Amino acid sequence: MIAVETTQLAELAALLKERVGLHIRPDSYPALKLAVAARLDLLRAATPGAVEYLALLGGPTGDEELRQLLPLVTVGKTSFFRDERQFQALDALLPGFLARASGGGQPLRVWSAGCATGEEPYSIAMCCAQRRLEPEQVELLATDVNPEAVGAAARGLYDARRVRDIPTSLLGEHFDREGDDWRVRTSLRRYLTAIRPHNLVSVGFPAPASGGWDVIFCRNVIIYFDTTTTRRVLEQFHHALAPGGWLFLGYSESLFRLFEGFDLSEVNGAFLYRKPEEGRVRLAAPKPRANVPSSPPAVRHVVFPPPAPRPPSTPPAPATPAGPPRPEAEAEEPLAPQEFLDGAVALFSEGRFGAARALLEHHLEHHGEGLAVRLTLANLYGVLRQYDRARQSYQAALAVEPLSAEAHLFYGIHLLSQADAEGGAQELSRALFLDPDLALAHYYLGRCREAQRDPQRARLAYRNTIEASKRLPGGKRQAFLGYYPDIPEDGAAFARAAEYALAAL
Ligand SMILES: C[S@@+](CC[C@H](N)C(=O)[O-])C[C@H]1O[C@@H](n2cnc3c(N)ncnc32)[C@H](O)[C@@H]1O
């Protein structure tokens, strides 16, 4: 392992904070060191040490290198049963697979791609065990690009902080205590057919012993890829899945402007992508963000029997909302998270701001953090002139997803509106680092530069707006997770505004 001084790690952490807003605490420096070592290993002799690596990050190709480093830095961001609703959805799918395997058919074939240190595949294994699938009835593959993470997953040893998300009964059933740590029992480990390194940005994708994967978990991984890479990876997932197979992505990883080969389904409150039974592939047009739909895709609501009751220490399932206004007062069923958001957006767009705010706040209280809700609420607070709350809400959104270009973009716009041009410029630069095509961010960066009395950089930002707008497919601006009624759909509006601004400068 290369020698990296603590001061160099602190410098790197400061650079990550400055450039992408990622906050790395000193207790995560060991993970940062591993990430640098992994990058240096890939770069081979060209960049021999940490000092040279820091120089590389500051150099002309620094942005590209930083994008490569980011996924490795975020390796620690995982937990057991991360996103409870998705595990409830998996739980709802398992009886069907059990019936198939028990009838002498295929075992359940699951791939956890980007498994980090193993919390995800072991959570899947615990779900299978709960549903009485035997290890022989499950083919579960866990892979990650980071060999250190793969090693940790294979060791299956977790400290007390990491296992706190596991319900007590499951912890007792599947883990043995080793000093202060907990080790995965062999009986659970047997569910994992293999744990090995695999780079998703490569040509070969693993296949199960026969047929395609029934389920692929690839959560919180593709957010770090650029559009072209993401499309390629999705195409390969599509190919690797069995007809009717399910793709579990992270909460903020919407495919709706990227790839059209999957159907979007809601299973017990979680949004999953499903390969159609007939195996049809409909790729979005080859140019980035071509065919951006103006409205979200249709969602199939897949109804399964209610999931088995969770063990006692499991975080509570989404509660039936009570109190604040519901968009469909006559509905008997609890609202799914997306329905809450849709209801709030409908109220917001009708100008019923108080009711929309109550619904969004209630949603956060009962369902926990979510990027789309946080951002919509932050924007709503801005409309209501509750600026402190707006700022707090943007910051909370960034705590949920520090690498969300959208969150940096709208936080930046908010700061500019509060006469904080410097803070705004910083957030907008971060947004543009994460997504250089965001014409909107270029435009508002120009406004910040004007406010900072820097006409030269303002001109550059406005020219970038015009260039980025030309790349917008169908002239429409990018789709966002949050709801911002003041932002025109017409992407060319920003190019025109940039042209006026340029003429006036
Ligand atoms: C934020 S973690 C997500 C872990 C887990 N899927 C979850 O949601 O809790 C992202 C993981 O993706 C992995 N990763 C990043 N780029 C990858 C690639 N090209 N191929 C495979 N894994 C990758 C990282 O090493 C890291 O372990």
Side-chain angles (χ1 to χ4, degrees):
M1 164 94 55
I2 54 144
V4 186
E5 306 286 332
T6 307
T7 50
Q8 291 163 340
L9 291 171
E11 209 176 313
L12 187 53
L15 189 141
L16 287 162
K17 177 84 190 157
E18 161 69 25
R19 300 272 283 280
V20 259
L22 196 63
H23 183 56
I24 298 181
R25 292 196 314 258
D27 62 359
S28 298
Y29 281 5
L32 187 55
K33 188 171 169 177
L34 286 177
V36 174
R39 281 306 298 157
L40 284 171
D41 192 36
L42 277 171
L43 293 165
R44 303 246 158 68
T47 306
V51 174
E52 290 81 358
Y53 188 68
L54 277 164
L56 172 71
L57 285 175
T61 56
D63 273 6
E64 187 43 46
E65 179 52 36
L66 201 48
R67 283 192 200 101
Q68 301 294 327
L69 177 70
L70 274 179
L72 304 182
V73 171
T74 54
V75 68
K77 285 189 163 232
T78 186
S79 54
F80 286 99
F81 295 105
R82 182 180 193 178
D83 195 341
E84 168 73 4
R85 282 161 304 189
Q86 292 200 327
F87 283 94
Q88 285 175 357
L90 176 68
D91 187 58
L93 300 177
L94 290 181
F97 291 117
L98 174 64
R100 185 182 78 187
S102 311
Q106 292 280 0
L108 163 64
R109 301 155 296 189
V110 189
W111 176 18
S112 166
C115 68
T117 38
E119 286 85 337
E120 181 177 276
Y122 289 122
S123 303
I124 297 169
M126 282 188 266
C127 284
C128 292
Q130 281 283 94
R131 279 286 176 187
R132 305 268 173 266
L133 274 123
E134 297 297 327
E136 298 71 35
Q137 295 174 316
V138 180
E139 181 176 353
L140 174 50
L141 171 68
T143 64
D144 197 280
V145 72
N146 184 340
E148 302 284 345
V150 170
R155 275 193 298 286
L157 189 66
Y158 299 95
D159 65 27
R161 193 172 43 93
R162 285 185 179 251
V163 299
R164 71 183 167 202
D165 297 313
I166 306 175
T168 323
S169 59
L170 292 183
L171 185 63
E173 194 179 333
H174 297 298
F175 289 77
D176 285 321
R177 190 133 199 188
E178 268 190 30
D180 289 340
D181 298 332
W182 294 82
R183 186 179 292 282
V184 171
R185 282 207 186 132
T186 315
S187 51
L188 187 68
R189 176 69 180 73
R190 283 181 54 220
Y191 281 89
L192 275 77
T193 319
I195 307 175
R196 60 181 164 83
H198 174 262
N199 187 354
L200 288 164
V201 188
S202 65
V203 185
F205 269 33
S210 97
W213 298 104
D214 296 306
V215 177
I216 296 178
F217 270 69
C218 184
R219 303 181 310 152
N220 311 298
V221 181
I222 61 168
I223 36 169
Y224 306 117
F225 297 162
D226 62 23
T227 312
T228 316
T229 310
T230 305
R231 282 213 178 98
R232 209 171 41 233
V233 169
L234 291 166
E235 221 174 304
Q236 286 174 279
F237 278 152
H238 192 280
H239 185 69
L241 276 167
W246 301 86
L247 175 62
F248 286 61
L249 293 176
Y251 178 77
S252 60
E253 294 166 323
S254 163
L255 299 189
F256 103 81
R257 56 184 185 178
L258 280 172
F259 188 86
E260 296 184 353
F262 295 106
D263 291 329
L264 182 59
S265 294
E266 189 202 331
V267 179
N268 287 348
F271 289 95
L272 307 180
Y273 288 94
R274 188 171 199 193
K275 178 171 169 173
E277 290 286 350
E278 69 272 27
R280 120 192 93 91
V281 187
R282 279 182 288 114
L283 287 183
K287 278 167 68 187
R289 296 210 179 88
N291 291 349
V292 175
S294 55
S295 57
V299 179
R300 285 163 200 238
H301 295 265
V302 183
V303 181
F304 285 89
R310 307 295 306 178
S313 67
T314 307
T320 305
R326 289 178 50 175
E328 294 158 36
E330 72 281 2
E332 290 291 320
E333 294 295 311
L335 292 182
Q338 186 62 38
E339 288 174 300
F340 255 107
L341 186 59
D342 291 346
V345 164
L347 292 169
F348 192 168
S349 65
E350 286 164 17
R352 295 167 64 195
F353 300 136
R357 197 191 75 177
L359 200 55
L360 291 167
E361 286 173 345
H362 181 80
H363 183 285
L364 281 174
E365 199 180 316
H366 289 262
H367 297 290
E369 285 296 346
L371 194 61
V373 175
R374 264 293 171 203
L375 288 172
T376 305
L377 186 58
N379 189 35
L380 182 54
Y381 283 140
V383 170
L384 292 168
R385 295 171 190 266
Q386 296 176 339
Y387 299 121
D388 281 350
R389 288 188 172 188
R391 181 174 38 77
Q392 285 159 11
S393 230
Y394 285 120
Q395 288 169 351
L398 284 163
V400 177
E401 283 297 339
L403 302 183
S404 159
E406 179 179 334
H408 286 293
L409 164 65
F410 286 99
Y411 187 30
I413 296 175
H414 169 76
L415 290 174
L416 175 65
S417 76
Q418 297 302 294
D420 179 1
E422 197 172 323
Q426 189 175 47
E427 288 305 318
L428 292 162
S429 302
R430 287 171 176 168
L432 287 167
F433 170 79
L434 295 163
D435 184 353
D437 283 349
L438 271 178
L440 196 56
H442 285 294
Y443 173 72
Y444 280 101
L445 185 58
R447 298 262 306 268
C448 289
R449 297 304 184 209
E450 280 201 71
Q452 290 173 301
R453 300 184 194 290
D454 188 342
Q456 201 177 338
R457 288 208 284 175
R459 268 189 216 100
L460 178 65
Y462 290 137
R463 278 192 220 107
N464 285 337
T465 311
I466 296 165
E467 285 310 307
S469 298
K470 285 184 194 153
R471 298 194 291 269
L472 288 177
K476 279 200 190 301
R477 66 154 168 82
Q478 287 91 345
F480 294 123
L481 287 172
Y483 179 62
Y484 317 94
D486 294 343
I487 303 291
E489 283 289 325
D490 175 13
F494 295 99
R496 282 196 298 276
E499 272 162 15
Y500 293 138
L502 270 174
L505 264 171

